[in-house]
């Protein structure tokens, strides 16, 4: 008898790992407050498996069990008001991949994966607000300092007219 086992995984299940850098935060350790969603797509850009959403560590590091079989994938990361970032042709074998580093640009207040005039409008509507204000919008607090201020406008302006890698 011959037994063939395909896509067998043994040992540590935390096989997809790396760093998700949520750029523009006043303190990078605030990244733990923002869940990051990882999506896997095949070479035809069809989604494979279910997306994985986790909170990263204070230094941006993450690890999770591979949700896909061995193969070559495009892997995207998206968090709150950051633009999506996609890495291409990542080889996953034995449930493991190389360390994946995502540097995500900030400023997507309305979460449509584009920094546009609509983000300026949403930020303006929440300007000078903190969590106790009736016009508070946590997505407009781009730097995570607890208040929507000129520093959030600067972040938005720096990335104005940019789109995430997965923008439709």
């Amino acid at each position: 008898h011959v037994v063939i086992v395909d896509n067998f995984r043994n040992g540590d299940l935390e096989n997809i790992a790396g760093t998700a850098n949520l750029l523009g935060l006043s303190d990078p350790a605030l990244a733990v407050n923002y869940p990051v969603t990882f999506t896997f797509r095949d070479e035809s850009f069809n989604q494979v498996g279910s997306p994985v959403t986790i909170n990263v560590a204070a230094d941006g590091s993450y690890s999770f069990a591979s949700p896909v079989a061995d193969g070559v994938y495009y892997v995207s990361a998206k968090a709150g008001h950051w633009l999506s970032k996609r890495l291409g042709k990542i080889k996953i074998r034995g449930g493991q991949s190389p360390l994946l580093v995502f540097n995500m640009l900030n400023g997507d207040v309305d979460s449509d994966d584009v920094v546009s005039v609509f983000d300026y409008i949403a930020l303006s509507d929440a300007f000078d607000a903190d969590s106790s204000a009736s016009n508070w919008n946590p997505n407009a607090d781009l730097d995570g300092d607890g208040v929507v201020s000129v520093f959030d406008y600067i972040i938005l302006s720096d990335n104005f007219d940019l789109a995430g890698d997965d923008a439709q």
Side-chain angles (χ1 to χ4, degrees):
H1 293 96
V2 175
V3 177
I4 299 173
V5 179
D6 192 19
N7 295 327
F8 178 73
R9 295 185 185 120
N10 189 11
D12 186 5
L13 293 179
E14 305 296 322
N15 298 315
I16 306 295
T19 305
N21 296 308
L22 304 181
L23 303 176
L25 288 172
S26 59
D27 178 356
L30 291 170
V32 299
N33 298 328
Y34 301 96
V36 179
T37 299
F38 298 88
T39 304
F40 294 78
R41 299 186 186 281
D42 63 19
E43 293 191 78
S44 298
F45 289 101
N46 297 311
Q47 184 175 315
V48 178
S50 296
V52 174
T53 301
I54 60 169
N55 282 41
V56 299
D59 64 355
S61 63
Y62 65 85
S63 63
F64 57 89
S66 175
V68 296
D70 289 359
V72 176
Y73 298 93
Y74 291 89
V75 184
S76 296
K78 173 81 170 97
H81 45 76
W82 285 268
L83 297 175
S84 63
K85 184 65 179 171
R86 181 177 54 230
L87 304 177
K89 300 199 176 184
I90 304 300
K91 187 174 185 179
I92 297 175
R93 183 174 168 97
Q96 296 186 336
S97 72
L99 291 177
L100 305 179
V101 177
F102 297 91
N103 293 311
M104 291 179 274
L105 297 175
N106 203 339
D108 184 20
V109 179
D110 64 2
S111 298
D112 66 353
D113 213 17
V114 177
V115 180
S116 69
V117 68
F118 299 109
D119 299 295
Y120 267 113
I121 292 167
L123 196 146
S124 294
D125 288 346
F127 187 72
D128 217 17
D130 62 19
S131 62
S132 67
S134 61
N135 63 329
W136 172 244
N137 178 350
N139 278 343
D141 181 17
L142 300 176
D143 64 4
D145 68 353
V147 65
V148 180
S149 69
V150 68
F151 299 109
D152 301 301
Y153 271 110
I154 292 169
I155 292 168
L156 196 149
S157 295
D158 286 348
N159 297 314
F160 186 72
D161 215 18
L162 296 178
D165 292 340
D166 287 342
Q168 300 293 331

